[in-house]
Amino acid sequence: MSLKREKRRDNPRQKRLPSNAKQRKTTFWSYLCSAPSLILIGLVVVFPILYTGYISLTNMNVYHWFDFDIIGLDNYERALFLVDSGFLSALLATILWTIVNMVIQLVVAFVLASLLNIESLRFRKVYKTLLMFPWAMPGYVSILLWKTGMFNSQFGLLNQWMEKLGLEAVRWLSSDVSAFICCTVVNLWLALPFMIMIMDGALQSIDKSYYESAILDGAGWLRRTVSITLPTIRPIIGPAVIITVFTTFKQFDVVYLLTQQAGAKTGSHFHTLITYTYENAFITNNYGYSSAISILIFVLLLVFSWKFHLEEKS
Amino acid sequence: MKNRKKMRKRAGLACLNLFFIVLCFVTLIPILYALSVSFNAQNSLLSSDFSFLPRQFTLDNYREVLFGEDILLWFGNTALLAVSCVAISLAVAIPAAYCFSRRRFPGRMAVIRALVLLNSFPAVLSMFAVYRLLRPLGLVNSRAGLVLVYTGTMAVFSLWNLKGYFDTIPVELEEAAKIDGASTFRLVRLIVLPLAKPSIIVTGLMVLIYVWNEYIYATTFMTGEDKYTLAAGLYSLQATEMSGSWPVFAAASIVVSLPVLVIFFLCQRHMVSGLTAGGVKG
């Protein structure tokens, strides 16, 4: 979403403002036409955020549903300065999760897209279509299929294979590290098709004559990749990569459905920020504290997107 | 010499093809496994001689899903919700997007900026606040409440996506029609809407798919199973370590995914142009 383009379009038009009365009529009709949409957004999106901000200043929980008190910034203090509150470790885990996922995703997608672009590969289209399936399936269905079909300790495929190899069955989702790895695998499975598509499109847009002259000059594969391919695709894949960083950071479904489902927790303590917030709101019913974390995450996301906007501008 | 080079190239290509065949197969394992289990008659799940082709073909699991469970009821609920959400979303977003694209009025830039920021807010975070606000209004455990939440959540996206597409349609066409004396309403109906069709279709589809796939609000806000959507129903059907039937769940997953798969592959080309022009990607 580029605000930059928006501004540039704005200025020349405002110079030829029509007469006052006409402008007033335009303004009136514009407000009237956009009112339903904006009221809806106000009611369902903006007001709950403000209300979350208000709850975050209270001690509202399941015992104080109506008779809660305003306790100031205590909830924020607890989240930020109490080392074992869980917020800081969830934040660290989320950052680690984002970095690991993004690095693997970018490298694997780049390699696969490059291989798909080798000229003499004839069945490229078939492979591409088959590889799109994880993207096309409804996300939560795929995650639940992974949970039961692959990781389940009785009828999961992984344990059937372990049994065949004469090994003991493993409870894949019950310890922190293996749950983290399982979640990463599922997340990569879900996210790679989109990234491969983006990389593929970017690679196809490179002018082939660059490579020909580079080969004539005796440049090897590595040299060509570093000096031609990467600089050319960088601006093209940039926006998609930024969007993916955000969705990875905000990931909820994978972690929640695999390990944290209400009533079916697997025993792993791996949390991303969002699942941590959810747990505090709906499992341990600590509404004030959970709201404080929500606001902190929102601020964090705002700072991120503002920074990315600055970078995009420069 | 030349021959040997050709041979090497051919061998390399064969390896590459083999690599992609294996890769595609490995990628599809979870889906293939679910398919095979859903068609398998023997309950051979606990035995170790498993194969990707069902030993004894049967449709019993599908019969169980379609007639033994409430899936048809859930399908009806989802269809009702989806149709109302798509209709309301488009009815509300098209006029607003048109005004934000074509008209200039005070506060316009401020709202556009706010929308960009709001788009980065994950809806799960304010779910508790929404719950607490809707409960006294009697909108928890009611379809109207879900419609309100879904259309509101998707309203930011719809408005932004449509506005982005309207921006790419040249104004000159409308100006010409205006000189011929057409009213704004006629002009939008006869010129703008037909031109914006790809974006309107994609926006509607995104709302539809969102409603189809949303499970967290649907399970938190709805308590009676008779009011479940497909997503919430499938969520309740899932086989855990203790209970549930994995073959029935596998069959249900396939049934629920099929429409989405069909829509995805039919509209794949539309998806890219209808989304990228608006400058937002799912």
Side-chain angles (χ1 to χ4, degrees):
Chain A
M1 305 186 177
S2 94
L3 284 173
K4 204 175 26 170
R5 205 179 348 145
E6 203 50 51
K7 253 187 227 153
R8 220 184 295 135
R9 286 165 133 262
D10 245 7
N11 293 334
R13 255 186 235 190
Q14 268 164 2
K15 268 177 204 154
R16 50 180 174 111
L17 269 184
S19 67
N20 232 344
K22 206 174 164 197
Q23 173 62 35
R24 221 175 296 148
K25 202 178 149 200
T26 312
T27 307
F28 172 75
W29 276 103
S30 305
Y31 283 148
L32 195 70
C33 288
S34 31
S37 176
L38 294 182
I39 290 174
L40 198 60
I41 294 173
L43 280 178
V44 181
V45 184
V46 180
F47 189 62
I49 294 178
L50 298 177
Y51 192 53
T52 305
Y54 170 69
I55 299 175
S56 76
L57 301 175
T58 69
N59 65 346
M60 190 190 292
N61 59 31
V62 90
Y63 307 109
H64 298 275
W65 182 259
F66 288 116
D67 59 337
F68 51 87
D69 302 309
I70 292 188
I71 55 168
L73 295 173
D74 281 9
N75 287 318
Y76 291 92
E77 228 180 279
R78 190 177 138 202
L80 289 173
F81 300 115
L82 207 68
V83 180
D84 55 356
S85 68
F87 172 74
L88 291 176
S89 58
L91 177 64
L92 282 180
T94 312
I95 293 173
L96 182 70
W97 156 263
T98 312
I99 293 173
V100 169
N101 273 285
M102 285 316 294
V103 170
I104 302 180
Q105 220 179 105
L106 288 174
V107 172
V108 174
F110 179 74
V111 172
L112 289 181
S114 311
L115 289 178
L116 278 172
N117 271 294
I118 289 178
E119 252 172 71
S120 41
L121 191 67
R122 208 160 328 126
F123 303 110
R124 177 179 302 133
K125 266 208 171 133
V126 181
Y127 300 140
K128 265 191 214 167
T129 312
L130 287 176
L131 290 177
M132 283 309 107
F133 262 86
W135 185 20
M137 291 274 290
Y140 75 101
V141 176
S142 306
I143 299 169
L144 292 180
L145 283 181
W146 269 90
K147 185 181 156 97
T148 18
M150 305 303 285
F151 298 133
N152 188 294
S153 53
Q154 294 167 35
F155 31 77
L157 210 47
L158 287 179
N159 273 345
Q160 292 187 21
W161 287 337
M162 296 287 278
E163 209 176 299
K164 252 187 197 167
L165 294 173
L167 298 168
E168 253 177 63
V170 176
R171 296 175 65 87
W172 299 99
L173 298 169
S174 63
S175 80
D176 295 2
V177 177
S178 82
F180 183 89
I181 296 172
C182 292
C183 290
T184 306
V185 169
V186 176
N187 188 54
L188 289 173
W189 188 84
L190 289 168
L192 270 171
F194 174 67
M195 201 44 98
I196 294 175
M197 271 293 108
I198 297 290
M199 291 265 190
D200 185 56
L203 287 177
Q204 276 170 9
S205 69
I206 302 177
D207 190 347
K208 295 282 177 297
S209 61
Y210 288 141
Y211 290 114
E212 282 156 19
S213 46
I215 291 174
L216 281 183
D217 288 345
W221 175 82
L222 191 68
R223 179 81 212 184
R224 271 176 279 153
T225 306
V226 173
S227 343
I228 302 176
T229 318
L230 292 182
T232 327
I233 63 171
R234 228 189 87 153
I236 308 176
I237 62 170
V241 172
I242 291 175
I243 290 170
T244 316
V245 170
F246 274 92
T247 44
T248 313
F249 189 85
K250 293 192 286 190
Q251 186 54 254
F252 172 81
D253 294 341
V254 173
V255 182
Y256 174 75
L257 288 177
L258 281 184
T259 65
Q260 305 287 342
Q261 279 184 47
K265 295 188 84 172
T266 56
S268 124
H269 298 287
F270 165 53
H271 270 299
T272 64
L273 281 176
I274 313 275
T275 61
Y276 179 66
T277 316
Y278 178 87
E279 184 179 76
N280 274 290
F282 288 95
I283 312 288
T284 56
N285 297 321
N286 214 330
Y287 310 127
Y289 179 61
S290 154
S291 300
I293 309 167
S294 300
I295 296 297
L296 286 174
I297 299 172
F298 191 36
V299 172
L300 213 60
L301 288 171
L302 287 187
V303 172
F304 278 168
S305 41
W306 180 62
K307 262 198 113 161
F308 276 126
H309 262 299
L310 285 188
E311 241 166 64
E312 213 179 308
K313 267 180 195 167
S314 63
Chain B
M1 191 66 195
K2 211 177 172 185
N3 227 351
R4 240 175 92 190
K5 211 173 170 185
K6 217 174 169 184
M7 284 279 283
R8 253 183 69 185
K9 216 175 168 185
R10 204 172 280 170
L13 198 62
C15 282
L16 194 64
N17 276 309
L18 189 72
F19 168 76
F20 272 111
I21 291 168
V22 171
L23 183 76
C24 289
F25 180 72
V26 170
T27 306
L28 294 178
I29 281 179
I31 302 171
L32 292 176
Y33 180 43
L35 258 180
S36 125
V37 166
S38 71
F39 281 123
N40 201 351
Q42 283 172 313
N43 209 356
S44 64
L45 293 171
L46 297 178
S47 66
S48 51
D49 54 336
F50 162 79
S51 79
F52 277 103
L53 286 174
R55 292 264 149 72
Q56 252 181 312
F57 186 84
T58 176
L59 287 174
D60 277 357
N61 294 321
Y62 286 89
R63 203 168 298 134
E64 166 76 21
V65 164
L66 290 178
F67 305 110
E69 305 284 349
D70 297 329
I71 210 155
L72 291 177
L73 182 73
W74 298 333
F75 180 83
N77 287 343
T78 310
L80 187 71
L81 271 182
V83 169
S84 13
C85 285
V86 171
I88 296 175
S89 290
L90 289 179
V92 157
I94 290 174
Y98 183 77
C99 288
F100 274 94
S101 169
R102 291 292 190 260
R103 304 279 184 263
R104 297 297 175 265
F105 48 91
R108 177 176 166 275
M109 270 314 283
V111 174
I112 289 178
R113 274 207 195 113
L115 287 182
V116 176
L117 295 182
L118 286 179
N119 210 39
S120 70
F121 188 81
V124 193
L125 289 186
S126 58
M127 193 163 77
F128 174 70
V130 173
Y131 185 85
R132 217 186 138 96
L133 289 169
L134 290 189
R135 213 166 93 140
L137 301 174
L139 288 172
V140 164
N141 205 12
S142 91
R143 294 199 183 95
L146 268 195
V147 171
L148 182 70
V149 170
Y150 288 162
T151 44
T153 312
M154 286 306 275
V156 180
F157 165 81
S158 314
L159 177 52
W160 188 272
N161 199 42
L162 284 168
K163 177 201 162 288
Y165 200 85
F166 285 150
D167 283 348
T168 65
I169 301 173
V171 201
E172 285 72 23
L173 283 172
E174 289 160 57
E175 276 166 0
K178 212 170 212 169
I179 292 169
D180 291 344
S183 70
T184 310
F185 179 71
R186 251 177 84 87
L187 185 136
V188 170
R189 194 168 53 100
L190 294 177
I191 299 179
V192 181
L193 289 189
L195 283 173
K197 213 165 144 195
S199 174
I200 294 175
I201 292 175
V202 169
T203 309
L205 274 180
M206 294 310 273
V207 176
L208 181 83
I209 291 181
Y210 172 75
V211 176
W212 196 274
N213 288 350
E214 207 291 323
Y215 65 93
I216 190 90
Y217 273 102
T219 49
T220 312
F221 282 31
M222 304 304 241
T223 40
E225 285 212 348
D226 56 322
K227 280 187 188 158
Y228 271 0
T229 63
L230 273 180
L234 188 67
Y235 180 89
S236 75
L237 269 186
Q238 62 177 307
T240 57
E241 309 267 341
M242 307 297 187
S243 63
S245 156
W246 166 220
V248 171
F249 174 69
S253 302
I254 307 284
V255 170
V256 171
S257 306
L258 264 183
V260 181
L261 284 175
V262 170
I263 290 178
F264 182 91
F265 284 107
L266 277 182
C267 306
Q268 208 179 0
R269 203 167 293 164
H270 264 316
M271 285 285 183
V272 174
S273 71
L275 278 179
T276 46
V280 198
K281 275 221 186 63

